[in-house]
């Protein structure tokens, strides 16, 4: 009860629906059904107002609610469990709770994606160094870098949306394992409880199926992996003085007064490993279980609740980081170096002279070597020096040494030109808006 009482509302809603089904099956009279409904509403009101009194005999949320119902309405309360088992009851509670929180997470991811897109839009004109292998590679837009981290989060949201239909299926009416002996209308129960996917197809499977929890734990592992990558990128960029993290998401040192540690981002980075442990551990728990319900399955809820809480906390923190983080344009530009334009130098001969790129790659490499030998930046090579490497270089080759032009040439879908990044931002905002419309009020 200490942890599964979080599902009190789902449990009571299930009991209200089941009481109606028992009236339909003539197990309860109409008057008994109405009495039971009134009692269940009172129990819910006590939970909602923190007036529910837990007692030592309350093993879990199911027994606690039924015990209190019987105290309120008398022996009629004992009829509620007719044909129902805690096996199908807990499966129903957990599915309802999971769907509701998956929808809640999606609404919060909408806010995160919106914050990321707005941050990128606000700073769309800032250039920075792009890296591969943590080595300077090519110039990109700061906003392109931001959107590179929104792209996997969009995929995470899409994956979470795909989990809901498989979770949103009603197991109630499966009994302990063999089904319900009193002819309750399972399709009525599914409709009454909002299970849009209908009913489970096999009662043995229904009471022990925890695929939907494994899927959520695996989903959270990948989502936290993406958040961890984002956190690490921001930590590195902050180290290079390319961004300033707001004081709300950083702390000082107990010894060194000059320190400003990105603690919030470090904590987000650390959660990815914990998420993987939850998913791996629970999958290992399931692998040896026979049909149908076994007590091992009771381990699911603490892992599920923790995974949901952690996901929501990390999403909220990252949303705040994005909303308050400030890029340092001058410092980002300092990281740009002419050698990042070596590919542009190679591309010049492809465009102007139709030289195969494999050849121009070697030609540009020779220019890089010459600059290193002369101990000068690549863009300080003279036209004569470039022509000594390849006579097809013309005077306009000197226009290659322009970071803005380099970025703007990458104007394909997904590229780092201003128009390409603007399209990414618009698409992200549109997706966030769709998430908010679909899940924001739920």
């Amino acid at each position: 009860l200490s942890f599964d009482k979080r599902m009190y509302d789902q449990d009571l809603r299930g009991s209200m629906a089941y009481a109606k089904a028992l009236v339909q099956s003539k197990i309860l009279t109409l008057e008994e059904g109405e009495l039971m409904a009134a009692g269940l509403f009172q129990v819910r009101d006590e939970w909602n107002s923190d007036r529910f009194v837990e007692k030592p005999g309350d093993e879990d949320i199911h027994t606690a609610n039924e015990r209190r119902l019987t105290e309120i309405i008398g022996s009629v309360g004992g009829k509620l469990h007719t044909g129902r088992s805690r096996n199908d009851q807990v499966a129903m509670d957990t599915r309802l709770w999971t769907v509701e929180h998956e929808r809640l997470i999606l609404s919060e991811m909408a806010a995160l994606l919106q914050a990321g897109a707005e941050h990128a839009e606000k700073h769309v004109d800032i250039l920075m160094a792009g890296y591969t292998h943590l080595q300077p590679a090519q110039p990109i837009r700061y906003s392109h870098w931001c959107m590179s981290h929104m792209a996997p989060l969009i995929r995470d949201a899409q994956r979470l949306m795909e989990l809901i239909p498989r979770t949103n299926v009603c197991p109630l009416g499966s009994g302990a394992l063999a089904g319900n002996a009193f002819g309750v209308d399972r399709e009525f129960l599914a409709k009454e409880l909002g299970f849009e996917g209908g009913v489970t197809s096999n009662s043995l499977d229904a009471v022990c199926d925890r695929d939907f929890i494994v899927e959520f734990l695996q989903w959270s592992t990948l989502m936290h992996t993406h958040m961890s990558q984002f956190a690490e990128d921001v930590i590195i960029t902050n180290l290079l003085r390319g961004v300033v993290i707001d004081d709300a998401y950083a702390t000082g040192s107990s010894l060194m007064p000059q320190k400003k540690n990105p603690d919030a981002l470090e904590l987000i980075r650390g959660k990815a490993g914990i998420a993987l442990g939850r998913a791996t551990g629970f999958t290992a728990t399931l692998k040896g279980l026979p049909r149908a319900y076994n007590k091992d399955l009771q381990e699911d809820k603490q892992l599920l609740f923790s995974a949901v809480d952690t996901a929501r906390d990390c999403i909220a923190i990252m949303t705040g980081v994005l909303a308050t983080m400030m890029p340092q344009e001058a410092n980002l530009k300092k990281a740009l170096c002419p050698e990042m334009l070596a590919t542009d130098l190679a591309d010049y001969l492809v465009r102007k002279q139709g030289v195969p790129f494999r050849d121009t790659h070697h030609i540009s490499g020779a220019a890089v070597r010459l600059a290193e030998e002369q101990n000068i930046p690549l863009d300080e090579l003279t036209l004569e020096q470039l022509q000594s490497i390849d006579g097809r270089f013309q005077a306009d080759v000197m226009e290659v040494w322009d970071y803005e032009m380099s970025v703007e040439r990458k104007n394909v879908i997904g590229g780092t030109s201003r128009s390409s990044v603007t399209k990414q931002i618009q698409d992200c905002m549109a997706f966030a808006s769709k998430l908010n419309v679909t899940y924001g009020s739920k």
Side-chain angles (χ1 to χ4, degrees):
L1 179 63
S2 62
F3 54 88
D4 74 352
K5 64 184 178 182
R6 293 178 67 158
M7 302 192 300
Y8 77 85
D9 187 68
Q10 291 77 19
D11 190 71
L12 290 168
R13 283 163 48 204
S15 292
M16 291 172 189
Y18 193 70
K20 291 180 181 179
L22 290 177
V23 171
Q24 292 178 352
S25 299
K26 311 299 184 185
I27 302 301
L28 295 178
T29 66
L30 182 61
E31 291 75 17
E32 287 174 329
E34 291 174 348
L35 179 63
M36 200 167 287
L40 290 167
F41 275 113
Q42 182 175 330
V43 175
R44 184 161 69 176
D45 182 63
E46 290 178 5
W47 278 112
N48 287 341
S49 58
D50 293 324
R51 292 184 294 109
F52 188 94
V53 179
E54 300 172 23
K55 294 189 175 180
D58 295 340
E59 181 181 345
D60 51 36
I61 189 59
H62 323 298
T63 54
N65 282 339
E66 187 173 335
R67 183 265 307 162
R68 181 59 182 140
L69 174 67
T70 303
E71 289 176 352
I72 294 170
I73 68 173
S75 60
V76 173
K79 293 185 176 184
L80 178 61
H81 209 57
T82 304
R84 185 173 69 165
S85 165
R86 280 192 292 179
N87 296 355
D88 62 344
Q89 191 175 358
V90 69
M92 176 211 66
D93 289 1
T94 310
R95 284 179 180 271
L96 284 174
W97 190 92
T98 302
V99 168
E100 289 172 16
H101 285 78
E102 285 172 339
R103 287 172 169 161
L104 183 59
I105 288 171
L106 284 167
S107 72
E108 292 164 346
M109 290 192 75
L112 170 58
L113 292 168
Q114 183 69 26
E118 288 177 356
H119 184 76
E121 183 179 49
K122 184 177 180 181
H123 304 292
V124 71
D125 290 321
I126 296 177
L127 302 187
M128 67 178 290
Y131 297 84
T132 63
H133 310 278
L134 279 180
Q135 299 299 308
Q138 290 182 306
I140 60 172
R141 292 190 181 277
Y142 171 81
S143 52
H144 190 214
W145 172 76
C146 291
M147 294 312 298
S148 78
H149 287 290
M150 295 303 103
L153 293 174
I154 289 173
R155 295 195 297 272
D156 289 330
Q158 291 168 335
R159 272 186 287 268
L160 188 54
M161 292 166 67
E162 292 165 2
L163 298 191
I164 291 176
R166 288 190 292 276
T167 307
N168 204 16
V169 184
C170 183
L172 190 57
S174 296
L177 75 161
N180 188 286
F182 293 91
V184 295
D185 186 343
R186 295 193 63 211
E187 291 180 336
F188 165 79
L189 288 170
K191 184 176 181 181
E192 187 75 7
L193 289 166
F195 282 108
E196 297 168 354
V199 300
T200 53
S201 62
N202 181 286
S203 60
L204 273 168
D205 176 64
V207 296
C208 64
D209 173 22
R210 296 299 185 271
D211 289 3
F212 65 98
I213 295 179
V214 173
E215 283 194 302
F216 181 83
L217 296 179
Q218 291 173 337
W219 173 86
S220 71
T221 298
L222 189 53
M223 189 275 293
H224 281 294
T225 298
H226 294 146
M227 296 275 275
S228 177
Q229 291 172 338
F230 193 9
E232 174 66 2
D233 240 4
V234 174
I235 289 169
I236 291 172
T237 308
N238 176 67
L239 171 67
L240 299 174
R241 302 293 186 262
V243 295
V244 172
I245 301 167
D246 191 83
D247 287 350
Y249 302 98
T251 62
S253 166
S254 60
L255 177 64
M256 298 165 283
Q258 83 281 6
K259 292 290 295 298
K260 183 177 177 182
N261 301 323
D263 283 9
L265 293 167
E266 291 171 352
L267 290 170
I268 287 176
R269 188 177 59 189
K271 295 300 182 183
I274 304 299
L276 176 60
R278 279 192 290 258
T280 304
F282 188 58
T283 304
T285 297
L286 294 179
K287 75 176 182 63
L289 297 187
R291 287 298 192 246
Y293 183 83
N294 295 271
K295 206 69 169 178
D296 314 49
L297 294 174
Q298 202 171 65
E299 298 300 317
D300 63 351
K301 282 171 284 299
Q302 284 180 299
L303 295 170
L304 174 64
F305 296 158
S306 177
V308 167
D309 291 345
T310 302
R312 295 187 64 197
D313 287 344
C314 289
I315 290 168
I317 291 168
M318 191 57 82
T319 302
V321 169
L322 276 167
T324 57
M325 185 170 69
M326 291 300 298
Q328 303 300 292
E329 184 172 3
N331 291 339
L332 289 169
K333 283 186 175 180
K334 283 180 186 177
L336 295 169
C337 60
E339 287 67 32
M340 290 182 174
L341 301 172
T343 304
D344 296 79
L345 183 64
D347 291 346
Y348 170 86
L349 288 177
V350 173
R351 287 194 183 90
K352 293 289 185 176
Q353 303 293 341
V355 182
F357 180 77
R358 287 300 178 193
D359 294 341
T360 66
H361 184 277
H362 293 301
I363 295 167
S364 181
V368 172
R369 285 192 298 274
L370 178 59
E372 290 175 347
E373 291 167 0
Q374 298 291 322
N375 196 28
I376 59 174
L378 184 60
D379 64 343
E380 290 186 13
L381 289 176
T382 66
L383 176 60
E384 291 74 20
Q385 287 173 312
L386 289 173
Q387 288 176 333
S388 71
I389 296 170
D390 193 290
R392 288 168 290 191
F393 284 119
Q394 302 296 316
D396 61 352
V397 70
M398 307 311 287
E399 297 173 5
V400 162
W401 313 122
D402 186 307
Y403 299 115
E404 184 73 31
M405 286 181 62
S406 173
V407 166
E408 282 305 290
R409 290 189 192 100
K410 316 300 192 304
N411 61 356
V412 296
I413 294 173
T416 196
S417 72
R418 196 180 199 281
S419 61
S420 298
V421 174
T422 298
K423 177 67 164 56
Q424 295 167 44
I425 292 169
Q426 291 170 345
D427 289 347
C428 182
M429 286 181 171
F431 181 77
S433 177
K434 179 182 176 182
L435 282 184
N436 194 49
V437 168
T438 307
Y439 303 104
S441 59
K442 297 184 185 234

